Amino acid sequence: MVLAGRLICNWRGEILAFDLSFGKIFWDEEGLFYAVDLGGTNFRVLRLHLGGKGQVLSQESKEIAIPRELMVGTGKDLFDFIANTLATFVDTEDILLDSKSNKHREAGFAFSFPVRQTSVKSGNVIQWTKGFKIDDAIGKDIVKQFQDAISRSGHDVEISALVNDTVGTLAGGRYNFQEETMIGCILGTGTNACYVERADAVKKWKEALPKSGEMVINLEWGNFRSPWLPRTFADDEVDKESVNPGDQWFEKMVSGMYLGEIVRHMLLRLAEEATLFGDTVPEKLREQQSLETKHVSKIHADISSELQTVATVLHEVLRIHDTTLEQRRIVHSLCDMVGQRGGRLAAAGLYGILKKIGRAGPNKNGFALSRQKKTTVVAMDGGLYEHHHPYRKYMEDALQELVGTNGPYEVFLRLQNDGSGIGAALLAASHSRHRQTE
C-alpha cells in the first residue's frame, strides 16, 4: 500500500506543509499508538493497537466537548485541557496490552486548522476557523504548544506526526478501503478536503519530486469565496456575527457550525416581516446560536404526516408553542432548502477535484460498460455527513448527477469513522518505524 506525499498546499497554491513522506506504509506497523483529533467544537482521543500485516488488533476512542470559553481563550488553557484528557485516556490502557505506566508513547496530531508546516512534527498556526479565536497561538508552533502541555501533565507521550484532518482521513481510507482512495473530505463542524495530485502538476514545488510521482494537496476549501456562490442575507448575517468576518465563506454555507444559524436568521426574517408565528416575534429567534444544526437535522429528517418532531423542536428549543401544520411545513421546507444547498455545494467542490485529477468527465474512448469502469473513493468523515442523512443524500445524488454514467470511473463516498484520528495514528506509527530504521 503506497500513499506518497511530500507537499501540502492550499487551494491558492500556497505551501502549507511539506515532506510528509508517507512513503510505503500501513502494512507492517506494530505497537500501540495514539492520536488526538482537534477538529471543531469536539475533539477526540484515539488508541490504535497495530499487529502488523495490516491488522488492527484493537481500537478505542473518546470524544470530548470543548468548553466555549476555551475556544476563545489562550493556547495554554486549551492545550492543558486537551493534554489532561489525553493523559487520562492513556492511563486506561488495558493491562492485557502489557503496558507500563512509564512507557514512552507516540501520537499523531490531527489539527484541522490552517498551518504552515515546517516538518513532519511541527507547524505554525496561520489562522483559526470554526468559531475558534486564540490569538496568542497564531504564528507559533502548534505541536510545541501541545507537547509542552503534555509535559505539564506528567506523561511521556511524544507527538511524532502533525497532519491535517483531511490528510488523516485520506490516509485512513487508503488503509481501510480496497478501492483507490483519492480524496479525503471532512464535513462536520467545519469542512475541508485534500486530494492526491501528480507531483509534476504542482508548479510551486521547487525541490526534487518524490519517487511515487504524487503529492497530497490540502485545499483549505472552507475559505473558498466567489461571487457565484448562491449567498443570501442570512449568509451575510452569519458571517458578520462570526469570529472571523469575511473569511471561510464556503465553510459558512455548508458546514455544521453554521447551518442552524442560517435557518434561525431566515425564520427570524419570516417572523418579523411575514408574521410566521403571529404578531409577536419569538424571543429565542433573536438569540444567537439558539437553533443548532443538530436541531435542523431533526427537523429535516421528520417525514411524519403531522411533522410532530418539528413541533417538538420548535416547542423545546425555540419556545414556539401550539404551531399549525402549515407553520411546521414552512419550517421544514426552510431546513430542507438549506440542507439541499449545503449538500449540493459540497458535491460541487468534490466534482471540481475529480475533474482536476481526471476522475470525472466523459470517457474519451467511448466505453461506458460498467465492467470496464474503475472505482474512485472519497473518504468522508465528520458528524454532519455521518448524522444529517437528508444532507448526505442530497450530496451523494448531486455528485452522481455531476459525474454522470458515461465516464470511465465510478465515484463512491465512503464514511471513514474516526478517519482523521485513525489516519493520524497510522502516520505516527509509520513515522516511528521510519525513524527507527533510518
Side-chain angles (χ1 to χ4, degrees):
M1 176 68 70
V2 175
L3 177 57
R6 292 173 57 83
L7 170 71
I8 295 181
C9 61
N10 67 13
W11 62 276
R12 289 186 292 267
E14 298 167 344
I15 295 173
L16 297 184
F18 61 90
D19 199 22
L20 281 186
S21 191
F22 293 171
K24 188 175 181 182
I25 63 175
F26 298 160
W27 287 106
D28 300 322
E29 284 73 19
E30 297 182 4
L32 199 63
F33 296 90
Y34 285 84
V36 175
D37 183 1
L38 177 57
T41 51
N42 296 331
F43 75 95
R44 289 176 288 188
V45 289
L46 181 140
R47 178 166 46 234
L48 210 60
H49 190 198
L50 302 177
K53 298 181 181 179
Q55 292 181 316
V56 177
L57 301 181
S58 65
Q59 174 184 324
E60 301 168 84
S61 64
K62 184 176 182 180
E63 185 167 335
I64 305 294
I66 300 175
R68 175 65 186 169
E69 60 270 19
L70 294 183
M71 296 173 63
V72 293
T74 67
K76 181 179 182 298
D77 289 342
L78 174 65
F79 284 107
D80 278 345
F81 178 74
I82 295 173
N84 288 332
T85 302
L86 174 63
T88 301
F89 188 67
V90 170
D91 288 341
T92 65
E93 283 183 9
D94 195 318
I95 193 171
L96 295 178
L97 297 177
D98 193 28
S99 59
K100 300 177 182 179
S101 60
N102 63 346
K103 186 173 179 62
H104 177 75
R105 294 296 185 209
E106 293 187 73
F109 184 25
F111 185 68
S112 311
F113 304 88
V115 165
R116 182 163 284 108
Q117 195 153 349
T118 53
S119 76
V120 73
K121 54 183 291 186
S122 63
N124 298 328
V125 180
I126 296 174
Q127 68 180 49
W128 293 90
T129 58
K130 292 172 279 194
F132 282 76
K133 186 175 172 57
I134 304 175
D135 292 336
D136 69 351
I138 292 177
K140 298 179 182 177
D141 184 353
I142 199 66
V143 174
K144 184 179 186 306
Q145 294 179 71
F146 190 16
Q147 195 70 67
D148 288 347
I150 293 173
S151 297
R152 288 192 293 271
S153 77
H155 285 64
D156 186 12
V157 180
E158 177 188 357
I159 303 299
S160 56
L162 171 66
V163 298
N164 181 267
D165 57 347
T166 58
V167 178
T169 299
L170 175 61
R174 287 268 172 133
Y175 182 87
N176 283 320
F177 304 140
Q178 294 298 316
E179 301 90 350
E180 190 173 27
T181 302
M182 295 297 292
I183 300 173
C185 180
I186 303 292
L187 275 170
T189 302
T191 185
N192 192 18
C194 72
Y195 71 101
V196 180
E197 176 64 277
R198 292 187 353 262
D200 60 5
V202 184
K203 301 305 181 184
K204 286 198 172 185
W205 185 251
K206 303 303 182 184
E207 300 184 26
L209 298 179
K211 293 180 180 179
S212 69
E214 294 180 333
M215 292 185 179
V216 179
I217 307 297
N218 168 20
L219 292 172
E220 291 296 339
W221 78 359
N223 204 32
F224 174 71
R225 59 185 295 161
S226 165
W228 301 109
L229 286 173
R231 291 173 60 81
T232 70
F233 77 92
D235 299 298
D236 294 335
E237 290 297 321
V238 168
D239 181 50
K240 184 173 65 176
E241 294 170 356
S242 69
V243 297
N244 54 347
D247 293 335
Q248 302 297 114
W249 270 23
F250 189 68
E251 180 170 85
K252 289 170 183 173
M253 296 176 73
V254 306
S255 71
M257 183 158 193
Y258 304 99
L259 298 186
E261 275 293 276
I262 292 171
V263 172
R264 182 185 69 83
H265 276 289
M266 290 181 168
L267 289 176
L268 178 59
R269 176 71 66 89
L270 285 173
E272 289 176 336
E273 299 186 3
T275 61
L276 175 60
F277 301 111
D279 295 332
T280 304
V281 177
E283 282 303 313
K284 291 291 285 186
L285 282 178
R286 302 187 189 278
E287 183 181 317
Q288 290 185 29
Q289 308 296 332
S290 58
L291 185 68
E292 300 177 25
T293 298
K294 65 181 180 181
H295 304 132
V296 172
S297 180
K298 287 182 180 180
I299 291 172
H300 199 178
D302 189 358
I303 58 173
S304 65
S305 60
E306 295 296 316
L307 296 176
Q308 192 55 50
T309 299
V310 179
T312 300
V313 171
L314 292 174
H315 175 79
E316 295 181 352
V317 177
L318 296 177
R319 304 292 188 264
I320 302 174
H321 312 299
D322 302 321
T323 53
T324 66
L325 180 57
E326 183 61 25
Q327 289 171 326
R328 296 195 292 273
R329 283 174 175 163
I330 291 172
V331 173
H332 187 274
S333 294
L334 274 179
C335 293
D336 180 70
M337 285 188 287
V338 171
Q340 182 182 40
R341 185 189 69 163
R344 291 183 69 84
L345 281 173
L350 291 178
Y351 179 66
I353 299 173
L354 291 165
K355 285 191 69 177
K356 175 68 174 63
I357 61 177
R359 299 300 176 106
N363 189 330
K364 296 180 180 179
N365 296 321
F367 298 112
L369 297 177
S370 61
R371 62 186 176 86
Q372 296 175 314
K373 287 180 179 287
K374 298 179 181 179
T375 297
T376 295
V377 169
V378 179
M380 300 292 305
D381 195 12
L384 181 65
Y385 180 80
E386 181 178 1
H387 300 299
H388 197 333
H389 299 296
Y391 181 108
R392 178 173 172 174
K393 184 70 164 54
Y394 277 130
M395 182 179 177
E396 292 170 344
D397 289 350
L399 185 60
Q400 292 307 315
E401 176 186 329
L402 291 166
V403 170
T405 59
N406 196 35
Y409 288 93
E410 289 184 295
V411 179
F412 296 97
L413 305 182
R414 297 270 173 85
L415 180 62
Q416 166 83 347
N417 280 314
D418 283 330
S420 51
I422 292 172
L426 289 168
L427 292 171
S430 174
H431 182 57
S432 173
R433 183 172 64 85
H434 176 67
R435 286 188 301 128
Q436 292 169 6
T437 57
E438 280 185 328

